[in-house]
Amino acid sequence: MNNPDCSSHHFLGYWSLKPEHQLSVRLNRIVQEKPHLYPSSRPTPSNVNWDVRYTGIKDNFTHRTGDFIAGISVSGLANAEAWVRVEANHLILGREPFGRVPLYWISIEEAIWFSTQIKLLIPLIESPRVNWAGLYGYTCFSYIPTPLTSVDQIFAVPAGCELIFPPDKSIDNPHKYIIKNPYQWQEKKPKIREEREAILQLRTLLKNAIHRQIENLPSEPVGVFLSGGIDSATVAALLVQCGIKVRAYTLDFGEKDLSEIPHAEQVAKFLNIPLIKVSATPDRIKKSLVETVRALDIPFGDGVTAPLYLLNQAARQDVSIVFNGEGGDQLFAGWTNKPMIAALTYGGFNPSFSENKVDFTRQYLQTFHRLYGCEGQVFSPSVRAKIEEINPDFWLQDALKLEYCSELLHRLRRASLMLKGAQNIHPRATNLALNQGLNLRSPFCDLPLAEWTFQLPGEFYLQGSCEKYILKRAVEDWLPPEIVWREKRGMGVPLTLWCVNQLWSEVGYWLNSGVLQAEGRFIPDLAMRVIRGNLGGYMRGRRIGEILWLLMIWQIWRTTVLGESATNRSQIHPFLLPYWWWKWRFQSQEET
């Protein structure tokens, strides 16, 4: 939605038939800063009142126009990525299809409150409680599937739609809202069959996308988060081609086998741009854990979050606008699609057949590599009773609908855009950037470009073992060939290495057996079960660190954001002894 009232900030507001004064007093009490204030209400025939407050507002923020009463653009451009409108006394909450900015709502005492931060809505609840379905979804995916959140009574607006709350129905029953024109990622016809034609069109679309992103750039340099992969390298190359001053930032994990630094250095040298290496050592990760979770606002359980927090923190020292390459994997069928394609190919069934829909959904669910299927070994009996009727397939069904995409790769790309992109990658990137006061621009989140990708045949994305084939062909003249054609495996965060060494005490602190027992959600010795690999055959190597991190993030979130207490901490626990001792003991037990 195009509106000039967007900037780097968060907002909290309400819409109600109740008198405005008592609601505005409550609103002001929650928002402690001295923000720009919109008019508290306006007379209407049905006497609907609304009010909005902002935090972190910028000096150049302008007054509202028309029916638009609130909005955020994390990019700092005119297009709102989450917005609130009041039209004919109807409340309308909306988000764009990529899901870059989250938007939440809650119904309290005949008022609907809305905010871009869940932490601004939590004080409205007398006794905030965890949403059991949200917790279960988090353990399945490492994010919480919309419209659920981690907090009972608070809901998320799904990406790519508007929720309309009519005043005659929604005040008494807020769930009687209307979903207006949900955006659908779908195949386009006719298909582009000529590879050369597709390459030329893609080059033009990429250049157009970057031109839309460089509006109103300051004279100072902009930042680029450079991993050394083709997506971020393409963004950097396009910016340089446009004559933009660029400073690149890359993560240094201190592990040579996992380092992307040589690739980032090669790109930076080729483009003649400075490269800042941001240390992401275990000690720095440990110190940033709590602040990372606060910045995220809701639990995101992927291990990249704390390193990305440090990356944003470093960029803030030099620039006010940063670019990233997020969205490239979703648009061009990146390496994460390979396991699913292999499973379907060698599993011997056609996912388009109706009898195989359940198998297809379950196999897709397994690609998240989290705790789905381990419920009996993870949750306490009381929680298992609460979630036993919940089928995680439900959270995937809309994204995997065959009616919108018949070709396998398009179906997987649609799902990746709606799930891993809109519900995980983009909102967490937004929250981390806004926490540091940065505008974040993602050129691959460009609707004309994204819609065009659904006109291509599957072989333009995956040729043999080469993923993102058409993108690589389009940019092969813009970057070193070693960067374009190398196989990418994603950001290699050494979580398991950290968790069994420098972060061992952190694992023991946050996953303390006494605390878990008092919390009553997980089995007390869950951490040691994960470390021993007792949750299933796949729980080995890198998966151990991923699951421990997932669980730690949840524990940090529930205490620092939700405000729960961590009681009954056991002073005698397995993590008092080093990991090497436990490894020796486990091996000795297996030998005997």
Side-chain angles (χ1 to χ4, degrees), residues 282-296 305-306 309 503 506-507 510 549 552-553 556 560:
D283 185 58
R284 295 199 71 205
I285 295 296
K286 183 190 301 186
K287 292 176 180 177
S288 69
L289 265 175
V290 172
E291 289 307 310
T292 295
V293 174
R294 286 177 177 155
L296 289 170
T305 52
Y309 174 86
L503 297 187
E506 292 295 302
V507 176
W510 292 110
W549 184 273
M552 282 198 297
I553 293 297
I556 298 170
T560 61

PDB file of all heavy atoms in Angstrom, residues 282-296 305-306 309 503 506-507 510 549 552-553 556 560:
ATOM      1  N   PRO A 282      31.802 -17.225  19.931  1.00  0.00           N
ATOM      2  CA  PRO A 282      30.885 -17.708  20.966  1.00  0.00           C
ATOM      3  C   PRO A 282      30.727 -16.743  22.136  1.00  0.00           C
ATOM      4  O   PRO A 282      29.634 -16.605  22.688  1.00  0.00           O
ATOM      5  CB  PRO A 282      31.532 -19.021  21.408  1.00  0.00           C
ATOM      6  CG  PRO A 282      32.320 -19.471  20.230  1.00  0.00           C
ATOM      7  CD  PRO A 282      32.807 -18.229  19.565  1.00  0.00           C
ATOM      8  N   ASP A 283      31.818 -16.056  22.504  1.00  0.00           N
ATOM      9  CA  ASP A 283      31.735 -15.112  23.616  1.00  0.00           C
ATOM     10  C   ASP A 283      30.801 -13.952  23.289  1.00  0.00           C
ATOM     11  O   ASP A 283      29.979 -13.551  24.112  1.00  0.00           O
ATOM     12  CB  ASP A 283      33.132 -14.577  23.951  1.00  0.00           C
ATOM     13  CG  ASP A 283      33.119 -13.672  25.174  1.00  0.00           C
ATOM     14  OD1 ASP A 283      32.689 -14.138  26.247  1.00  0.00           O
ATOM     15  OD2 ASP A 283      33.540 -12.507  25.041  1.00  0.00           O
ATOM     16  N   ARG A 284      30.897 -13.426  22.065  1.00  0.00           N
ATOM     17  CA  ARG A 284      30.006 -12.333  21.663  1.00  0.00           C
ATOM     18  C   ARG A 284      28.564 -12.823  21.515  1.00  0.00           C
ATOM     19  O   ARG A 284      27.613 -12.104  21.826  1.00  0.00           O
ATOM     20  CB  ARG A 284      30.479 -11.712  20.342  1.00  0.00           C
ATOM     21  CG  ARG A 284      31.823 -11.018  20.426  1.00  0.00           C
ATOM     22  CD  ARG A 284      31.995 -10.063  19.265  1.00  0.00           C
ATOM     23  NE  ARG A 284      31.125  -8.899  19.421  1.00  0.00           N
ATOM     24  CZ  ARG A 284      30.687  -8.160  18.406  1.00  0.00           C
ATOM     25  NH1 ARG A 284      31.008  -8.482  17.154  1.00  0.00           N
ATOM     26  NH2 ARG A 284      29.908  -7.116  18.621  1.00  0.00           N
ATOM     27  N   ILE A 285      28.405 -14.030  21.015  1.00  0.00           N
ATOM     28  CA  ILE A 285      27.058 -14.611  20.892  1.00  0.00           C
ATOM     29  C   ILE A 285      26.429 -14.757  22.272  1.00  0.00           C
ATOM     30  O   ILE A 285      25.256 -14.407  22.485  1.00  0.00           O
ATOM     31  CB  ILE A 285      27.122 -15.980  20.186  1.00  0.00           C
ATOM     32  CG1 ILE A 285      27.589 -15.823  18.738  1.00  0.00           C
ATOM     33  CG2 ILE A 285      25.780 -16.686  20.247  1.00  0.00           C
ATOM     34  CD1 ILE A 285      26.656 -15.032  17.856  1.00  0.00           C
ATOM     35  N   LYS A 286      27.209 -15.251  23.224  1.00  0.00           N
ATOM     36  CA  LYS A 286      26.702 -15.431  24.593  1.00  0.00           C
ATOM     37  C   LYS A 286      26.223 -14.100  25.175  1.00  0.00           C
ATOM     38  O   LYS A 286      25.149 -14.016  25.774  1.00  0.00           O
ATOM     39  CB  LYS A 286      27.801 -16.032  25.474  1.00  0.00           C
ATOM     40  CG  LYS A 286      27.364 -16.324  26.898  1.00  0.00           C
ATOM     41  CD  LYS A 286      28.555 -16.690  27.788  1.00  0.00           C
ATOM     42  CE  LYS A 286      29.286 -17.893  27.279  1.00  0.00           C
ATOM     43  NZ  LYS A 286      30.369 -18.331  28.222  1.00  0.00           N
ATOM     44  N   LYS A 287      27.009 -13.060  24.980  1.00  0.00           N
ATOM     45  CA  LYS A 287      26.660 -11.760  25.545  1.00  0.00           C
ATOM     46  C   LYS A 287      25.452 -11.118  24.861  1.00  0.00           C
ATOM     47  O   LYS A 287      24.781 -10.269  25.453  1.00  0.00           O
ATOM     48  CB  LYS A 287      27.865 -10.818  25.452  1.00  0.00           C
ATOM     49  CG  LYS A 287      29.024 -11.224  26.356  1.00  0.00           C
ATOM     50  CD  LYS A 287      30.222 -10.307  26.148  1.00  0.00           C
ATOM     51  CE  LYS A 287      31.380 -10.727  27.050  1.00  0.00           C
ATOM     52  NZ  LYS A 287      32.596  -9.883  26.822  1.00  0.00           N
ATOM     53  N   SER A 288      25.176 -11.521  23.633  1.00  0.00           N
ATOM     54  CA  SER A 288      24.086 -10.893  22.876  1.00  0.00           C
ATOM     55  C   SER A 288      22.795 -11.698  22.904  1.00  0.00           C
ATOM     56  O   SER A 288      21.792 -11.259  22.334  1.00  0.00           O
ATOM     57  CB  SER A 288      24.517 -10.701  21.417  1.00  0.00           C
ATOM     58  OG  SER A 288      24.644 -11.945  20.753  1.00  0.00           O
ATOM     59  N   LEU A 289      22.781 -12.851  23.556  1.00  0.00           N
ATOM     60  CA  LEU A 289      21.620 -13.743  23.495  1.00  0.00           C
ATOM     61  C   LEU A 289      20.333 -13.059  23.946  1.00  0.00           C
ATOM     62  O   LEU A 289      19.321 -13.063  23.229  1.00  0.00           O
ATOM     63  CB  LEU A 289      21.874 -14.987  24.352  1.00  0.00           C
ATOM     64  CG  LEU A 289      22.415 -16.229  23.645  1.00  0.00           C
ATOM     65  CD1 LEU A 289      22.721 -17.318  24.654  1.00  0.00           C
ATOM     66  CD2 LEU A 289      21.431 -16.721  22.604  1.00  0.00           C
ATOM     67  N   VAL A 290      20.342 -12.493  25.129  1.00  0.00           N
ATOM     68  CA  VAL A 290      19.125 -11.899  25.683  1.00  0.00           C
ATOM     69  C   VAL A 290      18.673 -10.709  24.839  1.00  0.00           C
ATOM     70  O   VAL A 290      17.473 -10.573  24.527  1.00  0.00           O
ATOM     71  CB  VAL A 290      19.344 -11.474  27.151  1.00  0.00           C
ATOM     72  CG1 VAL A 290      18.155 -10.676  27.666  1.00  0.00           C
ATOM     73  CG2 VAL A 290      19.555 -12.713  28.025  1.00  0.00           C
ATOM     74  N   GLU A 291      19.611  -9.859  24.441  1.00  0.00           N
ATOM     75  CA  GLU A 291      19.249  -8.700  23.634  1.00  0.00           C
ATOM     76  C   GLU A 291      18.732  -9.117  22.260  1.00  0.00           C
ATOM     77  O   GLU A 291      17.859  -8.451  21.694  1.00  0.00           O
ATOM     78  CB  GLU A 291      20.439  -7.753  23.493  1.00  0.00           C
ATOM     79  CG  GLU A 291      20.783  -7.010  24.773  1.00  0.00           C
ATOM     80  CD  GLU A 291      19.562  -6.294  25.353  1.00  0.00           C
ATOM     81  OE1 GLU A 291      18.882  -5.578  24.601  1.00  0.00           O
ATOM     82  OE2 GLU A 291      19.299  -6.446  26.552  1.00  0.00           O
ATOM     83  N   THR A 292      19.264 -10.197  21.728  1.00  0.00           N
ATOM     84  CA  THR A 292      18.756 -10.705  20.448  1.00  0.00           C
ATOM     85  C   THR A 292      17.296 -11.094  20.565  1.00  0.00           C
ATOM     86  O   THR A 292      16.469 -10.744  19.710  1.00  0.00           O
ATOM     87  CB  THR A 292      19.579 -11.925  19.987  1.00  0.00           C
ATOM     88  OG1 THR A 292      20.919 -11.516  19.719  1.00  0.00           O
ATOM     89  CG2 THR A 292      18.988 -12.538  18.724  1.00  0.00           C
ATOM     90  N   VAL A 293      16.959 -11.823  21.614  1.00  0.00           N
ATOM     91  CA  VAL A 293      15.578 -12.272  21.791  1.00  0.00           C
ATOM     92  C   VAL A 293      14.646 -11.086  22.006  1.00  0.00           C
ATOM     93  O   VAL A 293      13.524 -11.052  21.479  1.00  0.00           O
ATOM     94  CB  VAL A 293      15.491 -13.270  22.956  1.00  0.00           C
ATOM     95  CG1 VAL A 293      14.044 -13.641  23.254  1.00  0.00           C
ATOM     96  CG2 VAL A 293      16.298 -14.527  22.622  1.00  0.00           C
ATOM     97  N   ARG A 294      15.085 -10.103  22.763  1.00  0.00           N
ATOM     98  CA  ARG A 294      14.260  -8.900  22.939  1.00  0.00           C
ATOM     99  C   ARG A 294      14.040  -8.184  21.610  1.00  0.00           C
ATOM    100  O   ARG A 294      12.949  -7.683  21.337  1.00  0.00           O
ATOM    101  CB  ARG A 294      14.930  -7.964  23.938  1.00  0.00           C
ATOM    102  CG  ARG A 294      14.830  -8.446  25.388  1.00  0.00           C
ATOM    103  CD  ARG A 294      15.565  -7.519  26.316  1.00  0.00           C
ATOM    104  NE  ARG A 294      15.405  -7.927  27.710  1.00  0.00           N
ATOM    105  CZ  ARG A 294      16.254  -7.651  28.682  1.00  0.00           C
ATOM    106  NH1 ARG A 294      17.344  -6.930  28.410  1.00  0.00           N
ATOM    107  NH2 ARG A 294      16.037  -8.054  29.923  1.00  0.00           N
ATOM    108  N   ALA A 295      15.072  -8.142  20.794  1.00  0.00           N
ATOM    109  CA  ALA A 295      14.947  -7.485  19.496  1.00  0.00           C
ATOM    110  C   ALA A 295      14.009  -8.252  18.578  1.00  0.00           C
ATOM    111  O   ALA A 295      13.258  -7.647  17.799  1.00  0.00           O
ATOM    112  CB  ALA A 295      16.329  -7.355  18.849  1.00  0.00           C
ATOM    113  N   LEU A 296      14.020  -9.561  18.664  1.00  0.00           N
ATOM    114  CA  LEU A 296      13.169 -10.386  17.808  1.00  0.00           C
ATOM    115  C   LEU A 296      11.688 -10.235  18.145  1.00  0.00           C
ATOM    116  O   LEU A 296      10.836 -10.451  17.294  1.00  0.00           O
ATOM    117  CB  LEU A 296      13.575 -11.859  17.914  1.00  0.00           C
ATOM    118  CG  LEU A 296      14.903 -12.232  17.269  1.00  0.00           C
ATOM    119  CD1 LEU A 296      15.297 -13.651  17.658  1.00  0.00           C
ATOM    120  CD2 LEU A 296      14.836 -12.104  15.752  1.00  0.00           C
ATOM    121  N   THR A 305      20.034 -15.972  14.149  1.00  0.00           N
ATOM    122  CA  THR A 305      19.475 -14.737  14.713  1.00  0.00           C
ATOM    123  C   THR A 305      20.493 -13.915  15.492  1.00  0.00           C
ATOM    124  O   THR A 305      20.598 -12.703  15.289  1.00  0.00           O
ATOM    125  CB  THR A 305      18.270 -15.066  15.607  1.00  0.00           C
ATOM    126  OG1 THR A 305      18.649 -16.075  16.564  1.00  0.00           O
ATOM    127  CG2 THR A 305      17.101 -15.567  14.782  1.00  0.00           C
ATOM    128  N   ALA A 306      21.236 -14.525  16.399  1.00  0.00           N
ATOM    129  CA  ALA A 306      22.222 -13.767  17.181  1.00  0.00           C
ATOM    130  C   ALA A 306      23.355 -13.226  16.296  1.00  0.00           C
ATOM    131  O   ALA A 306      23.749 -12.063  16.447  1.00  0.00           O
ATOM    132  CB  ALA A 306      22.772 -14.614  18.324  1.00  0.00           C
ATOM    133  N   TYR A 309      21.984 -10.268  14.594  1.00  0.00           N
ATOM    134  CA  TYR A 309      21.878  -9.150  15.536  1.00  0.00           C
ATOM    135  C   TYR A 309      23.200  -8.391  15.584  1.00  0.00           C
ATOM    136  O   TYR A 309      23.226  -7.149  15.536  1.00  0.00           O
ATOM    137  CB  TYR A 309      21.510  -9.674  16.925  1.00  0.00           C
ATOM    138  CG  TYR A 309      21.512  -8.614  18.002  1.00  0.00           C
ATOM    139  CD1 TYR A 309      20.386  -7.826  18.230  1.00  0.00           C
ATOM    140  CD2 TYR A 309      22.645  -8.385  18.790  1.00  0.00           C
ATOM    141  CE1 TYR A 309      20.390  -6.839  19.214  1.00  0.00           C
ATOM    142  CE2 TYR A 309      22.657  -7.405  19.772  1.00  0.00           C
ATOM    143  CZ  TYR A 309      21.519  -6.643  19.978  1.00  0.00           C
ATOM    144  OH  TYR A 309      21.528  -5.654  20.946  1.00  0.00           O
ATOM    145  N   LEU A 503      29.409 -22.486  24.833  1.00  0.00           N
ATOM    146  CA  LEU A 503      28.046 -22.189  25.289  1.00  0.00           C
ATOM    147  C   LEU A 503      27.469 -23.285  26.183  1.00  0.00           C
ATOM    148  O   LEU A 503      26.277 -23.289  26.486  1.00  0.00           O
ATOM    149  CB  LEU A 503      27.110 -21.975  24.083  1.00  0.00           C
ATOM    150  CG  LEU A 503      27.423 -20.792  23.166  1.00  0.00           C
ATOM    151  CD1 LEU A 503      26.321 -20.630  22.129  1.00  0.00           C
ATOM    152  CD2 LEU A 503      27.601 -19.499  23.947  1.00  0.00           C
ATOM    153  N   GLU A 506      25.701 -21.968  29.139  1.00  0.00           N
ATOM    154  CA  GLU A 506      24.454 -21.303  28.760  1.00  0.00           C
ATOM    155  C   GLU A 506      23.345 -22.320  28.531  1.00  0.00           C
ATOM    156  O   GLU A 506      22.193 -22.110  28.934  1.00  0.00           O
ATOM    157  CB  GLU A 506      24.656 -20.466  27.489  1.00  0.00           C
ATOM    158  CG  GLU A 506      25.540 -19.265  27.667  1.00  0.00           C
ATOM    159  CD  GLU A 506      24.929 -18.239  28.609  1.00  0.00           C
ATOM    160  OE1 GLU A 506      23.813 -17.757  28.337  1.00  0.00           O
ATOM    161  OE2 GLU A 506      25.574 -17.923  29.634  1.00  0.00           O
ATOM    162  N   VAL A 507      23.690 -23.411  27.880  1.00  0.00           N
ATOM    163  CA  VAL A 507      22.703 -24.482  27.681  1.00  0.00           C
ATOM    164  C   VAL A 507      22.222 -24.991  29.037  1.00  0.00           C
ATOM    165  O   VAL A 507      21.020 -25.168  29.268  1.00  0.00           O
ATOM    166  CB  VAL A 507      23.307 -25.642  26.855  1.00  0.00           C
ATOM    167  CG1 VAL A 507      22.315 -26.793  26.744  1.00  0.00           C
ATOM    168  CG2 VAL A 507      23.713 -25.151  25.465  1.00  0.00           C
ATOM    169  N   TRP A 510      19.879 -22.132  30.756  1.00  0.00           N
ATOM    170  CA  TRP A 510      18.546 -21.893  30.202  1.00  0.00           C
ATOM    171  C   TRP A 510      17.700 -23.149  30.129  1.00  0.00           C
ATOM    172  O   TRP A 510      16.465 -23.068  30.171  1.00  0.00           O
ATOM    173  CB  TRP A 510      18.658 -21.256  28.805  1.00  0.00           C
ATOM    174  CG  TRP A 510      19.203 -19.864  28.854  1.00  0.00           C
ATOM    175  CD1 TRP A 510      20.422 -19.437  28.427  1.00  0.00           C
ATOM    176  CD2 TRP A 510      18.549 -18.709  29.391  1.00  0.00           C
ATOM    177  NE1 TRP A 510      20.586 -18.094  28.660  1.00  0.00           N
ATOM    178  CE2 TRP A 510      19.439 -17.614  29.245  1.00  0.00           C
ATOM    179  CE3 TRP A 510      17.295 -18.486  29.978  1.00  0.00           C
ATOM    180  CZ2 TRP A 510      19.116 -16.327  29.667  1.00  0.00           C
ATOM    181  CZ3 TRP A 510      16.982 -17.196  30.394  1.00  0.00           C
ATOM    182  CH2 TRP A 510      17.872 -16.142  30.236  1.00  0.00           C
ATOM    183  N   TRP A 549      19.545 -24.750  20.518  1.00  0.00           N
ATOM    184  CA  TRP A 549      19.343 -23.314  20.304  1.00  0.00           C
ATOM    185  C   TRP A 549      17.853 -22.983  20.278  1.00  0.00           C
ATOM    186  O   TRP A 549      17.418 -22.004  20.889  1.00  0.00           O
ATOM    187  CB  TRP A 549      20.011 -22.906  18.997  1.00  0.00           C
ATOM    188  CG  TRP A 549      19.960 -21.435  18.723  1.00  0.00           C
ATOM    189  CD1 TRP A 549      18.949 -20.746  18.090  1.00  0.00           C
ATOM    190  CD2 TRP A 549      20.934 -20.463  19.098  1.00  0.00           C
ATOM    191  NE1 TRP A 549      19.244 -19.411  18.027  1.00  0.00           N
ATOM    192  CE2 TRP A 549      20.459 -19.207  18.640  1.00  0.00           C
ATOM    193  CE3 TRP A 549      22.167 -20.520  19.752  1.00  0.00           C
ATOM    194  CZ2 TRP A 549      21.171 -18.021  18.833  1.00  0.00           C
ATOM    195  CZ3 TRP A 549      22.875 -19.345  19.934  1.00  0.00           C
ATOM    196  CH2 TRP A 549      22.379 -18.120  19.484  1.00  0.00           C
ATOM    197  N   MET A 552      16.618 -22.996  23.798  1.00  0.00           N
ATOM    198  CA  MET A 552      17.141 -21.872  24.589  1.00  0.00           C
ATOM    199  C   MET A 552      16.425 -20.570  24.237  1.00  0.00           C
ATOM    200  O   MET A 552      16.080 -19.785  25.130  1.00  0.00           O
ATOM    201  CB  MET A 552      18.649 -21.719  24.367  1.00  0.00           C
ATOM    202  CG  MET A 552      19.499 -22.708  25.131  1.00  0.00           C
ATOM    203  SD  MET A 552      21.229 -22.155  25.256  1.00  0.00           S
ATOM    204  CE  MET A 552      21.727 -22.117  23.546  1.00  0.00           C
ATOM    205  N   ILE A 553      16.212 -20.333  22.956  1.00  0.00           N
ATOM    206  CA  ILE A 553      15.527 -19.103  22.533  1.00  0.00           C
ATOM    207  C   ILE A 553      14.136 -19.037  23.152  1.00  0.00           C
ATOM    208  O   ILE A 553      13.695 -17.966  23.614  1.00  0.00           O
ATOM    209  CB  ILE A 553      15.442 -19.032  20.996  1.00  0.00           C
ATOM    210  CG1 ILE A 553      16.834 -18.865  20.393  1.00  0.00           C
ATOM    211  CG2 ILE A 553      14.525 -17.888  20.558  1.00  0.00           C
ATOM    212  CD1 ILE A 553      17.546 -17.593  20.777  1.00  0.00           C
ATOM    213  N   ILE A 556      14.520 -18.118  26.875  1.00  0.00           N
ATOM    214  CA  ILE A 556      14.891 -16.705  27.051  1.00  0.00           C
ATOM    215  C   ILE A 556      13.680 -15.821  26.765  1.00  0.00           C
ATOM    216  O   ILE A 556      13.418 -14.856  27.494  1.00  0.00           O
ATOM    217  CB  ILE A 556      16.068 -16.334  26.126  1.00  0.00           C
ATOM    218  CG1 ILE A 556      17.309 -17.166  26.489  1.00  0.00           C
ATOM    219  CG2 ILE A 556      16.386 -14.846  26.236  1.00  0.00           C
ATOM    220  CD1 ILE A 556      18.447 -17.040  25.493  1.00  0.00           C
ATOM    221  N   THR A 560      12.136 -13.130  29.424  1.00  0.00           N
ATOM    222  CA  THR A 560      12.500 -11.736  29.199  1.00  0.00           C
ATOM    223  C   THR A 560      11.424 -10.931  28.482  1.00  0.00           C
ATOM    224  O   THR A 560      11.352  -9.709  28.658  1.00  0.00           O
ATOM    225  CB  THR A 560      13.806 -11.636  28.398  1.00  0.00           C
ATOM    226  OG1 THR A 560      13.630 -12.254  27.126  1.00  0.00           O
ATOM    227  CG2 THR A 560      14.946 -12.296  29.140  1.00  0.00           C
TER     228      THR A 560
END
